[in-house]
Amino acid sequence: MSEQPARNGLLQVEGLKTWFDTPEGTVRAVDGIDFHIARGETLALLGESGCGKSISALSLLQLVPQPAGRIVAGHIRLDSLDILTLPERDMRNVRGKRIAMIFQEPQTSLNPVLTIGDQISEAIPDAGGLSRRQKRDKVGQLLEAVGIADAAQRYDHYPHQFSGGMKQRVMIAMALAAEPDLLVADEPTTALDVTIQAQILSLLKELQKKTGMAILLITHDLGVVSETADRVAVMYAGQIVEMAPRDEFFSAPQHPYSQKLFRSVPGRMQRGAALDVIAGSVPSLRQEFRGCRFAERCDRAWDLCRKKIPVWVTQNGRGVLCHLYDKTVSPPSGKESRQPARAAPVAITGGAGEALLHVSDLKVHFPIHKGVFQRVVGHVKAVDGISLDIARGHTLALVGESGCGKTTAGKGILQIVPPTSGSVLYNGRELRRLKGHELRSMRRRFQIIFQDPYASLDPRMLIGEILEEGMRAQAIGGNRAMRQTQVEELLRHVGL
């Protein structure tokens, strides 16, 4: 792949390769990517999970996890500075000051035992030469710039006293403390509701206009890309497969993978019709590819796609990595292209249409304690009388912005949080009456996917052990060998 740098280019990446050594073999997480970013420009790096987007960003800052990870080839130039030739001592003058990063999960990026003000102060250049009052004033200005009210009082607050959207704003303030030339935003709005997401994106655009910084936006959300990007780079299996200006990309995506991404997103033109599913998953990056990496999931692939690596084709200011646009290759007729197998519709059995869950007037109130004796002086009515029914084989969407009580309602239904009042009937059984062993034995029939995977998974346990632990608790899977086989099947089922 080859891309021409812009005249006012700030960052130029050429032939970047970042690999990881594992017991099973070398993982080529980033395998030869080229791109540039001009001053004041936003480049969106788009693609599904596991394509190498975040590792590409970490490579820019020489933050690839070591010793397993290593940058094996390529050049990263920031103006005239060759990043990959710098020792760690010099990189400290680049990180934060020239290139800043907003990490994907603010909850795990903030130190829970330090105040927000102290953490932002650490990111201010030459903070050691400032008085405490000057630091507080500077932090207050940064917090006000990212839209946090009562900035002066917030200096002494801890991360747990902020909502998810406010934590993300704190991360932005921290990244902007040194007024960087380039801001790398790794999924900055993934865990936020649409109203907070819109505020964060608007904030980034406003700050970009004021400071002239460039932004590398890493995301899998086409809606976010349409709102913020100037250009789009689509990444798949460690490579960039398409690059184009935003408007041209949205009006006419070229690579089959890009086209499938658009067809899998709900829209007005698809109302009432089934969304496209990209069958399969990202291929293992431990292998050496001999053909197109998307071939096994592409409905326009033919034999050549599996035997020959495509070349980067540039035309009219955009590029694509696909045999279909190579003038030296003759694609077959439409009849010869392979259609990937589609999953057959799942038949709903066991009384389809019957109410599996019936919730009536559910309330979850949390007491407010005050005084030396912690007397109850009031209640937070997180859930205050909701009723709903869900039939077998049906999906009910509970929609609302942060703080509306959606998560608390789900926890109350599953008895993770004890309801204050109301009725929860699951398959005819009143869950509020179940205690101890009866409730535990019922939990295998209803499960919850928590909002934050980072906080839900024990970092001291292997993924296989975490999955097997739940199976042991519910006496699922027989002996250990049978459970491990089932764990492997579950991982394959979710594309891992």
Side-chain angles (χ1 to χ4, degrees):
M1 173 183 171
S2 178
E3 191 202 13
Q4 295 298 321
R7 290 182 179 178
N8 60 339
L10 171 68
L11 180 75
Q12 180 71 29
V13 178
E14 299 174 351
L16 179 63
K17 294 184 179 183
T18 304
W19 295 357
F20 289 83
D21 295 322
T22 70
E24 294 80 17
T26 299
V27 177
R28 297 165 175 81
V30 179
D31 201 18
I33 65 171
D34 300 349
F35 66 87
H36 74 269
I37 307 177
R39 295 183 183 277
E41 180 187 37
T42 298
L43 173 67
L45 195 57
L46 175 69
E48 62 188 292
S49 297
C51 286
K53 305 185 301 298
S54 295
I55 296 301
S56 299
L58 293 176
S59 300
L60 300 182
L61 293 165
Q62 287 198 37
L63 290 177
V64 177
Q66 294 180 344
R70 54 196 171 92
I71 300 174
V72 299
H75 295 280
I76 301 174
R77 294 184 176 87
L78 184 67
D79 287 331
S80 59
L81 197 64
D82 193 339
I83 296 292
L84 298 184
T85 64
L86 298 180
E88 177 60 25
R89 180 183 58 188
D90 294 337
M91 279 303 301
R92 294 171 186 170
N93 295 321
V94 174
R95 299 188 191 114
K97 297 179 181 179
R98 304 261 347 244
I99 304 176
M101 186 165 182
I102 304 172
F103 290 94
Q104 188 170 358
E105 178 47 56
Q107 181 64 46
T108 57
S109 301
L110 295 171
N111 191 327
V113 299
L114 291 179
T115 66
I116 291 299
D118 288 341
Q119 294 187 61
I120 297 177
S121 296
E122 290 180 350
I124 299 175
D126 304 321
L130 300 177
S131 67
R132 182 169 178 80
R133 172 51 57 187
Q134 289 174 321
K135 288 181 183 179
R136 292 186 73 97
D137 291 343
K138 178 64 175 178
V139 171
Q141 293 171 8
L142 289 167
L143 291 176
E144 288 178 358
V146 297
I148 292 182
D150 301 322
Q153 287 73 30
R154 289 292 192 175
Y155 185 101
D156 297 313
H157 287 189
Y158 290 89
H160 72 270
Q161 296 174 282
F162 289 75
S163 68
M166 292 176 70
K167 288 174 189 170
Q168 195 63 282
R169 289 171 183 262
V170 169
M171 291 299 300
I172 295 174
M174 196 178 302
L176 297 175
E179 300 180 358
D181 298 320
L182 173 65
L183 177 66
V184 180
D186 189 0
E187 303 278 9
T189 61
T190 297
L192 306 180
D193 62 61
V194 290
T195 54
I196 302 299
Q197 173 179 290
Q199 293 174 19
I200 295 295
L201 295 178
S202 176
L203 172 64
L204 287 176
K205 291 173 69 174
E206 290 177 9
L207 294 173
Q208 186 179 34
K209 289 180 181 179
K210 292 179 182 178
T211 63
M213 67 180 177
I215 297 178
L216 174 60
L217 178 66
I218 299 172
T219 184
H220 59 260
D221 190 329
L222 286 169
V224 171
V225 173
S226 68
E227 290 290 328
T228 59
D230 297 305
R231 290 186 301 124
V232 182
V234 181
M235 198 164 183
Y236 183 80
Q239 291 186 324
I240 291 177
V241 297
E242 182 172 358
M243 186 174 293
R246 178 194 60 188
D247 293 342
E248 294 181 22
F249 177 74
F250 276 83
S251 62
Q254 292 184 336
H255 197 278
Y257 176 60
S258 304
Q259 295 169 1
K260 280 182 169 289
L261 287 178
F262 277 96
R263 290 198 296 267
S264 62
V265 175
R268 288 180 298 174
M269 302 302 292
Q270 294 165 302
R271 187 168 296 171
L275 297 176
D276 267 18
V277 176
I278 306 179
S281 59
V282 179
S284 171
L285 299 182
R286 294 189 181 94
Q287 59 183 302
E288 290 190 25
F289 293 91
R290 298 181 178 179
C292 175
R293 304 184 181 202
F294 189 61
E296 296 306 317
R297 305 175 74 187
C298 181
D299 55 10
R300 302 176 68 182
W302 71 98
D303 288 342
L304 180 67
C305 296
R306 300 175 186 85
K307 298 177 180 178
K308 182 180 179 182
I309 297 175
V311 297
W312 184 258
V313 180
T314 304
Q315 187 176 10
N316 299 325
R318 60 188 303 176
V320 62
L321 190 68
C322 182
H323 289 307
L324 291 169
Y325 301 91
D326 187 352
K327 293 182 180 180
T328 65
V329 172
S330 299
S333 62
K335 294 182 180 179
E336 296 179 39
S337 62
R338 177 184 61 84
Q339 296 289 334
R342 289 180 175 269
V346 177
I348 301 173
T349 59
E354 296 178 1
L356 178 65
L357 179 69
H358 175 73
V359 179
S360 177
D361 198 29
L362 180 68
K363 296 181 181 181
V364 181
H365 297 174
F366 297 102
I368 302 173
H369 299 276
K370 281 190 177 181
V372 176
F373 298 101
Q374 293 292 290
R375 291 190 175 93
V376 177
V377 297
H379 289 83
V380 175
K381 299 179 180 179
V383 179
D384 199 24
I386 68 168
S387 301
L388 55 88
D389 292 310
I390 305 179
R392 292 182 183 274
H394 287 227
T395 300
L396 173 68
L398 195 58
V399 181
E401 58 185 303
S402 295
C404 288
K406 305 183 300 297
T407 300
T408 304
K411 290 181 177 179
I413 290 171
L414 300 183
Q415 309 301 299
I416 297 174
V417 173
T420 304
S421 64
S423 172
V424 181
L425 289 174
Y426 177 82
N427 204 20
R429 296 190 67 179
E430 177 57 66
L431 296 185
R432 291 196 63 208
R433 296 176 183 171
L434 301 181
K435 305 294 180 182
H437 177 73
E438 278 190 309
L439 181 58
R440 284 196 299 271
S441 64
M442 281 290 290
R443 289 201 184 281
R444 65 184 298 175
R445 301 181 180 273
F446 42 79
Q447 292 291 320
I448 184 171
I449 302 174
F450 289 99
Q451 185 175 3
D452 183 4
Y454 293 93
S456 303
L457 300 175
D458 190 334
R460 298 166 298 180
M461 297 177 66
L462 300 175
I463 293 299
E465 293 173 341
I466 293 173
L467 294 176
E468 192 177 347
E469 183 180 43
M471 297 171 66
R472 287 199 310 270
Q474 294 292 339
I476 297 172
N479 59 36
R480 183 179 182 184
M482 295 173 65
R483 286 195 299 267
Q484 289 180 341
T485 300
Q486 191 167 348
V487 165
E488 293 175 2
E489 180 59 33
L490 286 170
L491 293 173
R492 281 194 295 269
H493 189 65
V494 297
L496 295 176

